[in-house]
Amino acid sequence: MLAGAALAGAAPAGAVSGVRHIASGIAYRQFDVPAAKGTVHAHLLTVDLTDPHVRVDLLSPGAVAARSPVSAMADTAGAVAGVNGDFFNINENQHPGVEATGASVGPAIAHGRVLKSAVPTAQRFGPALPPGTDTTDVFGVGVDRRARLDRLTLFGTVRTRDATLALRGLNQYALAQGSVGAYTAAWGSASRKRATCGSDSDRAAGCSTDTYEVRIRAGKVVAASATPGSGAIPAGTTVLLGREAGADELRTLFKGERVTVRERMVASAARIPYRFAVGGYPVLRDGRPLAGLNGTASAVRTAVGYANDGRRLLLLALDGAVAYRSGMTIAEVADEMRQLGAVDAFSLDGGGSTTMVARTAGATTVSVLNHPTDSPERAVANGIGVFWKP
């Protein structure tokens, strides 16, 4: 591997000319950008998706309801570079006593496998969304190795001999009111209590007391409970959790009854299956910033964009060192991504989550290239990993 990048803990660099290569098809550079509240320092990874040695995929802590630093996820997966991903259930200050799951807001696909679907938009964590966007928006790369912006919506059913129930959630930290959601081994061991808190219009609304949970194994109901459970879910087992009307539907199921649970994610635009997808929100489409982007609130940001019909990937992370912490507005991020050549661009989690990592020359593990505002490096829900194979 070839690399050349600022190591974590180094003094913030000034504008750096030239491109430094992580590997064939993967380049890194850093540079200064003038912004409304002062100069910021940017870190950019450029990835050539046409290079047969290169691929991108989701970085994951090993479970949907878990968190890990980007550097740890990258090293565990064998990535040579990466950035942080989606916004996530970072705390539960609004529901004292309820465990924060660490699960991400939007849909997630890793290695072509669907991990989760999107929480209701009112239940998301993160800044206000631009008009016309919601939690189903994703950035992804298809099995055709092309990057896209899209929306992924869950379609699912719970079928018994006598009825078909709608499935409206998959491994989500929040369920819509009156709905039923499914939890699999991919969820992890965190409590499912959070999924019954909040409402379709207010994340801070109280937790429902009208809940019911059913455990399915080998196509049959094997257990039930009036309260959401916790602990690892064995492979081959599905837990159905309902709140309000959804709880009433699950109460009709009896032990030993045959149940078939099916779910699939449907893309609004692409007909090509996704190898990976991550949540966030779009800021640039067809070379134009979205209408209504916030132009006043500045922060340290992470963004991803693409050019050349989705064949060239741009990963941007701002530096969180004190000298540059004033950051950029989302409107400025959209403009900067356009100037860097992106046709479409997507905002990821920022602030203390913003982290870029890559391997330096001769290293077998990654180093943090920017200066995250959190110290030590913040544990996050997921990330975008860049992989290189000879």
Side-chain angles (χ1 to χ4, degrees):
M1 294 294 171
L2 297 176
L7 295 175
V16 176
S17 60
V19 175
R20 304 183 182 190
H21 294 279
I22 307 299
S24 67
I26 309 168
Y28 164 76
R29 67 185 177 102
Q30 52 182 314
F31 51 94
D32 288 340
V33 182
K37 293 189 177 180
T39 298
V40 299
H41 196 68
H43 301 258
L44 180 71
L45 285 167
T46 304
V47 181
D48 180 4
L49 295 178
T50 68
D51 189 309
H53 302 288
V54 175
R55 66 177 176 87
V56 296
D57 212 325
L58 192 75
L59 296 178
S60 168
V64 168
R67 296 168 57 186
S68 183
V70 176
S71 58
M73 290 191 289
D75 284 340
T76 298
V80 298
V83 297
N84 64 288
D86 196 2
F87 301 86
F88 59 95
N89 177 202
I90 190 170
N91 63 59
E92 277 305 321
N93 297 335
Q94 297 166 319
H95 304 106
V98 175
E99 177 185 358
T101 66
S104 63
V105 168
I109 295 176
H111 323 306
R113 176 189 171 211
V114 175
L115 298 181
K116 68 178 298 292
S117 52
V119 303
T121 298
Q123 292 260 32
R124 69 182 294 273
F125 285 76
L129 291 173
T133 65
D134 62 35
T135 54
T136 65
D137 283 300
V138 295
F139 165 81
V141 174
V143 295
D144 60 351
R145 300 175 60 85
R146 291 178 61 183
R148 297 174 174 85
L149 300 188
D150 210 336
R151 284 184 169 176
L152 292 176
T153 304
L154 176 70
F155 283 81
T157 56
V158 179
R159 293 182 182 272
T160 68
R161 185 180 65 178
D162 301 318
T164 299
L165 314 178
L167 184 69
R168 296 178 59 194
L170 175 64
N171 292 328
Q172 298 172 199
Y173 71 75
L175 294 174
Q177 289 175 270
S179 72
V180 173
Y183 294 81
T184 67
W187 169 253
S189 59
S191 170
R192 295 176 288 278
K193 171 71 173 178
R194 174 59 185 85
T196 64
C197 301
S199 72
D200 294 348
S201 60
D202 183 7
R203 192 182 75 194
C207 301
S208 176
T209 58
D210 184 7
T211 64
Y212 201 73
E213 191 171 88
V214 171
R215 187 171 289 252
I216 312 289
R217 186 166 61 244
K220 293 182 179 180
V221 176
V222 296
S225 173
T227 57
S230 62
I233 299 171
T237 296
T238 299
V239 174
L240 299 177
L241 174 60
R243 54 179 298 183
E244 299 93 34
D248 288 340
E249 291 178 325
L250 293 183
R251 289 188 187 101
T252 66
L253 305 182
F254 56 86
K255 191 172 181 179
E257 183 172 10
R258 291 195 173 277
V259 177
T260 301
V261 180
R262 299 190 185 280
E263 74 278 333
R264 61 191 177 98
M265 297 291 283
V266 177
S268 66
R271 295 295 176 263
I272 303 296
Y274 281 96
R275 177 173 178 80
F276 108 93
V278 66
Y281 59 89
V283 297
L284 186 71
R285 286 189 188 277
D286 299 323
R288 297 181 180 181
L290 269 66
L293 292 180
N294 187 293
T296 59
S298 294
V300 177
R301 310 280 185 181
T302 308
V304 58
Y306 58 84
N308 297 355
D309 291 325
R311 295 179 175 88
R312 180 163 62 93
L313 200 62
L314 304 169
L315 296 164
L316 178 74
L318 300 186
D319 206 288
V322 173
Y324 304 109
R325 200 166 290 178
S326 55
M328 301 173 75
T329 68
I330 285 297
E332 288 176 321
V333 169
D335 185 63
E336 179 62 23
M337 293 299 287
R338 179 174 57 181
Q339 292 190 48
L340 289 170
V343 174
D344 291 350
F346 198 72
S347 176
L348 302 167
D349 194 9
S353 297
T354 291
T355 310
M356 178 177 284
V357 302
R359 292 187 188 178
T360 56
T364 57
T365 59
V366 299
S367 297
V368 179
L369 303 184
N370 70 327
H371 297 80
T373 61
D374 276 18
S375 182
E377 183 187 344
R378 177 183 285 179
V380 297
N382 53 34
I384 298 175
V386 183
F387 298 82
W388 192 89
K389 193 173 184 178

